[in-house]
Amino acid sequence: TVWQGADAPALGWNNWTSGTYGFQTYYDNGYGSDYYSAFTVTNQTANTFEGLQDAYHSASGGAYEGNNFVVWNMNYYGSDTVTFAAQVVPGFWINNTAYAVNSMVNGDSFAKAFGHTDWFKLTINGYLNGDGIDTQVVVDLAKDGKYINQWTYVDLTQFGEMDAITFTMSSSDMGDWGMNTPAYFAMDNFGATMPEG
């Protein structure tokens, strides 16, 4: 199943928490169907993609640990922010989604299949008291003909103390309306410490 932050979500932003971390989901039904973006909780374990009903599958199938993980997809109405009390956040685990991998490998009705020089990346920005921190963390989700398809640790300690982070995605495959590659990634164990070794 998947869960978008509320059993009966209000239009616009809906906030929810996991532990001490605050997440957001955006809900809109103005185009004749339900539209969700930002952070969706899922416990789906498949690693295949055959249609948008499979958009919440990780590339390796299931969570890094436990049953639940989050799939983020870019929101075009505003910034998707994780908020928390000021602290040093060690990091989290990341994976591609089956949706993004299928698009990069095979192409789809919007995006081309990736060649050796194509790339897909996530950029993370940190904030403290509303001010941007003068550094970024960039995760290469696909580069040089390879793509992430296993849970991989992302170190956030270079931000130092912060109380919010935001995510943006970019790709070498761009069109008139922006990025063609599906703007999705999977996240688990936000706040986790870096593993030994």
Side-chain angles (χ1 to χ4, degrees), residues 82-158:
V82 183
T83 56
F84 38 86
Q87 61 187 276
V88 176
V89 177
F92 64 92
W93 290 85
I94 196 171
N95 203 343
N96 269 308
T97 62
Y99 183 18
V101 168
N102 180 76
S103 177
M104 290 186 286
V105 171
N106 302 310
D108 58 36
S109 57
F110 300 102
K112 67 174 186 175
F114 271 24
H116 184 76
T117 60
D118 286 304
W119 51 268
F120 179 45
K121 67 179 61 175
L122 173 73
T123 300
I124 306 169
N125 289 284
Y127 300 84
L128 181 63
N129 299 323
D131 296 323
I133 296 170
D134 191 22
T135 189
Q136 291 180 323
V137 172
V138 178
V139 181
D140 291 312
L141 293 168
K143 185 180 180 180
D144 299 331
K146 301 177 182 179
Y147 56 85
I148 291 176
N149 63 357
Q150 299 292 327
W151 289 101
T152 304
Y153 188 77
V154 178
D155 181 6
L156 299 179
T157 56
Q158 66 178 287

Side-chain angles (χ1 to χ4, degrees), residues 19-102:
T20 59
Y21 301 110
F23 296 86
Q24 297 172 298
T25 295
Y26 189 88
Y27 171 63
D28 189 4
N29 64 0
Y31 295 95
S33 62
D34 291 338
Y35 166 76
Y36 293 96
S37 60
F39 301 97
T40 294
V41 181
T42 173
N43 62 8
Q44 296 179 340
T45 57
N47 67 346
T48 55
F49 180 81
E50 297 180 2
L52 285 178
Q53 72 277 3
D54 300 330
Y56 303 109
H57 295 174
S58 72
S60 56
Y64 168 71
E65 184 177 48
N67 295 321
N68 299 323
F69 62 100
V70 163
V71 168
W72 179 89
N73 65 297
M74 187 182 296
N75 181 280
Y76 294 97
Y77 297 98
S79 181
D80 307 328
T81 307
V82 183
T83 56
F84 38 86
Q87 61 187 276
V88 176
V89 177
F92 64 92
W93 290 85
I94 196 171
N95 203 343
N96 269 308
T97 62
Y99 183 18
V101 168
N102 180 76

